[in-house]
Amino acid sequence: MNFKKEYQEAFSNIKADEDFKKQLAKKLNEAERPRWKTSYTGMIAAAAVLIVVVSVGIATGVLVTNSSQEQSDVHGGMVQNDSSDITDGQDVSEVLPTTPGVAAGTNNSETYMEMNFSDLSWYGKAENDEALLDTFISLVGGETLDTLYCGADKGDDGAVALSDAEVDALIASFDGAVAEDVAAEGDGKYYRAVFESGMNIRFVVYENGYLQLEDTGSMYKLK
Amino acid sequence: MNAKENMSAEELIEKYSDMIYRVAFSRTQNVSDAQDITQDVFLKYLKYTKAGNTFRDEEHRKAWLLKVAVNTGNTFVTTAWFRHRASLDEVGEIAAENKEDKSEVYEAVMDIPEKYRVVIHLFYYEELSIKEICSILNMSETAVKSRLHRARELLREKLKGAQYEF
């Protein structure tokens, strides 16, 4: 008997419910619609603000000009109109800040194709479990670590920041750990390493002496 | 949706929801959880495409969805809620309910540890290569081969009454 054929037959019956699909389509369409409304409303609001600003600017300019004219009339000198420093005939869109990566026409697919997902993560360069552990230890034990939190659960509720000495002791316990292809079992302590760059690495140290890196699921038997 | 450069939400769901749902179900063994993961994956897709990202072809889009499905499943099965529920054996009970009229292969696969089920599913159902599985699971080729080998061993033990070719 062919396992693949049997497996495909068995799993071909597992499908998402039709009602669920309809609800999901509705949800996705709704999730998209408000954004259009918001941006449309935002455009109207921005246009209204622009009109008010321009009106005020024109009114102010007229007043300044009149005032300057009056002053020059009084003092017989010439007052320079500074309004050109503000707008200088520049289109408003030219001075609006741009958002990197969101620019019109930007296509990230090329970047994706070259970098792949793995290149975007801290573990992407490690080619095997041993190299992954080395990378992990060098990062968590390195100077770019900001804080290492520890808690009894995956969530951060009740997690406490470890002292430098505690971090050092923990890192030392990872030395010589050996990768094993086993499933996580039992209770453990949940750690979240926060780096200066904002990057997070989560890992678990189980009571039965295993370290698990959550990003990859890799398990290591501690010495 | 953006990838709706050429595909509507309905079309996208019709094309990929079963695939994502199966990956999710093979991990959680629970309809409700699998639906939650499936919905989450599509919302992430929406966010990703709204940000201006595109896919070079359908294979690229499929690989992206599978990877996000696996990652979302990873996050889900390690949540305190899921772990707590699993510890109460509810997953086992639900899985048992779903075993009705299922083949011995289905039962055997659902009976092996979750991390092996994912590799088995990607390899045998989605028919991905080892290299593609490496990319999706962020694992080395050696690790994927080792996991697949171990999964087959476990399945042979469970299916020892029948002679399956893997």
Side-chain angles (χ1 to χ4, degrees), chain A residues 48-143:
Chain A
V49 168
L50 190 63
I51 289 167
V52 170
V53 168
V54 170
S55 304
V56 170
I58 290 169
T60 310
V62 168
L63 289 174
V64 168
T65 306
N66 290 342
S67 171
S68 302
Q69 189 59 48
E70 283 167 13
Q71 283 185 359
S72 64
D73 289 345
V74 171
H75 300 292
M78 200 173 87
V79 177
Q80 195 174 0
N81 188 342
D82 288 338
S83 63
S84 62
D85 290 343
I86 300 169
T87 57
D88 201 22
Q90 197 177 12
D91 188 287
V92 175
S93 63
E94 290 177 14
V95 293
L96 287 175
T98 55
T99 308
V102 192
T106 300
N107 184 339
N108 292 338
S109 65
E110 289 302 317
T111 310
Y112 171 87
M113 285 160 65
E114 287 168 12
M115 297 180 70
N116 208 338
F117 277 101
S118 57
D119 292 331
L120 301 173
S121 52
W122 69 269
Y123 46 86
K125 301 291 182 192
E127 293 186 349
N128 52 50
D129 286 338
E130 287 71 29
L132 182 69
L133 182 65
D134 289 343
T135 306
F136 166 74
I137 290 175
S138 68
L139 280 169
V140 180
E143 292 182 355

Side-chain angles (χ1 to χ4, degrees), chain B:
Chain B
M1 318 187 70
N2 186 342
K4 87 195 215 140
E5 334 156 316
N6 45 28
M7 204 182 285
S8 69
E10 287 79 5
E11 288 170 329
L12 193 76
I13 288 167
E14 194 52 44
K15 187 164 188 176
Y16 291 112
S17 62
D18 287 340
M19 175 190 81
I20 295 166
Y21 180 83
R22 281 188 196 104
V23 171
F25 187 84
S26 74
R27 306 195 68 179
T28 63
Q29 304 186 337
N30 177 291
V31 171
S32 173
D33 294 341
Q35 287 181 346
D36 283 349
I37 292 171
T38 304
Q39 176 176 297
D40 203 17
V41 170
F42 278 108
L43 288 172
K44 283 174 180 169
Y45 175 90
L46 184 65
K47 190 176 175 185
Y48 184 74
T49 53
K50 267 184 178 178
N53 299 296
T54 56
F55 301 95
R56 61 178 180 270
D57 53 34
E58 278 307 305
E59 284 304 306
H60 186 194
R61 191 198 316 261
K62 180 182 173 184
W64 188 93
L65 286 166
L66 277 172
K67 186 174 181 80
V68 174
V70 168
N71 286 341
T72 306
N74 283 344
T75 307
F76 192 88
V77 298
T78 52
T79 56
W81 178 78
F82 185 86
R83 286 163 62 87
H84 175 68
R85 203 190 55 184
S87 70
L88 296 177
D89 226 359
E90 189 178 338
V91 169
E93 287 170 20
I94 293 169
E97 286 172 19
N98 288 320
K99 282 178 181 175
E100 288 176 19
D101 301 326
K102 300 295 182 193
S103 70
E104 61 176 352
V105 166
Y106 175 90
E107 288 187 30
V109 171
M110 284 306 198
D111 214 26
I112 63 176
E114 174 260 323
K115 69 173 183 176
Y116 297 117
R117 292 200 298 270
V118 180
V119 181
I120 286 288
H121 187 79
L122 295 176
F123 188 79
Y124 286 108
Y125 196 91
E126 295 301 335
E127 298 182 310
L128 300 181
S129 67
I130 297 287
K131 200 173 177 181
E132 288 168 326
I133 296 173
C134 290
S135 172
I136 286 171
L137 299 181
N138 266 331
M139 289 171 64
S140 67
E141 198 167 322
T142 312
V144 169
K145 283 180 180 171
S146 161
R147 200 165 280 191
L148 192 56
H149 176 73
R150 178 71 185 133
R152 284 173 182 146
E153 279 184 350
L154 290 170
L155 288 170
R156 279 196 188 97
E157 281 174 29
K158 293 186 184 297
L159 297 166
K160 56 188 169 188
Q163 294 295 318
Y164 280 99
E165 289 173 23
F166 285 89

Side-chain angles (χ1 to χ4, degrees), chain A:
Chain A
M1 284 185 284
N2 186 290
F3 175 82
K4 181 178 169 181
K5 190 182 166 196
E6 293 283 327
Y7 182 79
Q8 289 188 338
E9 274 180 20
F11 264 73
S12 62
N13 296 324
I14 295 176
K15 292 177 180 174
D17 182 70
E18 287 303 317
D19 284 342
F20 166 71
K21 287 180 186 176
K22 284 177 189 166
Q23 290 296 318
L24 182 58
K26 192 177 167 189
K27 194 165 240 174
L28 290 179
N29 284 324
E30 281 173 0
E32 190 177 36
R33 212 171 295 133
R35 187 174 180 270
W36 178 84
K37 278 182 183 170
T38 305
S39 59
Y40 191 68
T41 309
M43 284 169 65
I44 293 171
V49 168
L50 190 63
I51 289 167
V52 170
V53 168
V54 170
S55 304
V56 170
I58 290 169
T60 310
V62 168
L63 289 174
V64 168
T65 306
N66 290 342
S67 171
S68 302
Q69 189 59 48
E70 283 167 13
Q71 283 185 359
S72 64
D73 289 345
V74 171
H75 300 292
M78 200 173 87
V79 177
Q80 195 174 0
N81 188 342
D82 288 338
S83 63
S84 62
D85 290 343
I86 300 169
T87 57
D88 201 22
Q90 197 177 12
D91 188 287
V92 175
S93 63
E94 290 177 14
V95 293
L96 287 175
T98 55
T99 308
V102 192
T106 300
N107 184 339
N108 292 338
S109 65
E110 289 302 317
T111 310
Y112 171 87
M113 285 160 65
E114 287 168 12
M115 297 180 70
N116 208 338
F117 277 101
S118 57
D119 292 331
L120 301 173
S121 52
W122 69 269
Y123 46 86
K125 301 291 182 192
E127 293 186 349
N128 52 50
D129 286 338
E130 287 71 29
L132 182 69
L133 182 65
D134 289 343
T135 306
F136 166 74
I137 290 175
S138 68
L139 280 169
V140 180
E143 292 182 355
T144 57
L145 177 75
D146 184 54
T147 312
L148 180 59
Y149 295 96
C150 176
D153 214 325
K154 184 178 172 63
D156 291 329
D157 292 344
V160 294
L162 300 189
S163 67
D164 289 347
E166 288 172 321
V167 173
D168 291 342
L170 184 68
I171 298 300
S173 73
F174 298 154
D175 276 345
V178 180
E180 284 189 15
D181 197 13
V182 295
E185 282 179 12
D187 293 328
K189 286 185 177 176
Y190 291 76
Y191 293 88
R192 181 162 67 96
V194 180
F195 294 85
E196 289 168 354
S197 63
M199 179 178 77
N200 279 224
I201 298 179
R202 289 181 183 272
F203 58 97
V204 189
V205 177
Y206 290 95
E207 285 178 348
N208 60 358
Y210 279 92
L211 160 70
Q212 182 179 36
L213 306 183
E214 291 208 353
D215 286 311
T216 60
S218 306
M219 295 285 284
Y220 299 89
K221 176 71 179 166
L222 301 178
K223 273 193 171 178

